[in-house]
Amino acid sequence: MFPILQLGPLALQTPGLILLMGIWLSLTFAEKQAKHSAIPSAQLDNLVLVGLLSGIIGARLAFLVEHYSAFISAPLSAFSLTTTMLNMPAGLLIAILAMLIYGQRKKIPMDAAL
């Protein structure tokens, strides 16, 4: 279990903080690489946003489907802000699919990203 960082009245959960730091570092690296390819920075930002949102929503929905019996008695608990209620493999798959679909519709050259 990861610790909780207590900064005065603010309590930061370290799994969410690590996830946020990973997204920030990945986007920074991708923007540096995008300068050498044909992908504009604004399109890259939109692509990452689509992947991030669809991945988080997909991971939560996959978790809810997998553990539906736990939410029958308290359905509002599905909206809890916790990182332990995510199905990461399903979220990653949904994010990749959403990014591929978005990139194809916006005609972003995906081979330049590799």
Side-chain angles (χ1 to χ4, degrees), residues 33-99:
Q33 292 298 324
K35 290 179 184 176
H36 303 293
S37 65
I39 301 174
S41 179
Q43 281 187 341
L44 179 67
D45 291 342
N46 290 338
L47 184 69
V48 169
L49 183 64
V50 164
L52 181 63
L53 291 177
S54 63
I56 290 173
I57 291 169
R60 177 59 62 99
L61 288 176
F63 184 86
L64 294 176
V65 168
E66 189 176 345
H67 302 285
Y68 68 92
S69 60
F71 299 101
I72 291 175
S73 61
L76 290 179
S77 64
F79 298 104
S80 172
L81 297 176
T82 178
T83 57
T84 58
M85 291 177 41
L86 297 174
N87 185 339
M88 290 297 179
L92 182 62
L93 178 65
I94 291 170
I96 290 171
L97 287 174
M99 289 172 74

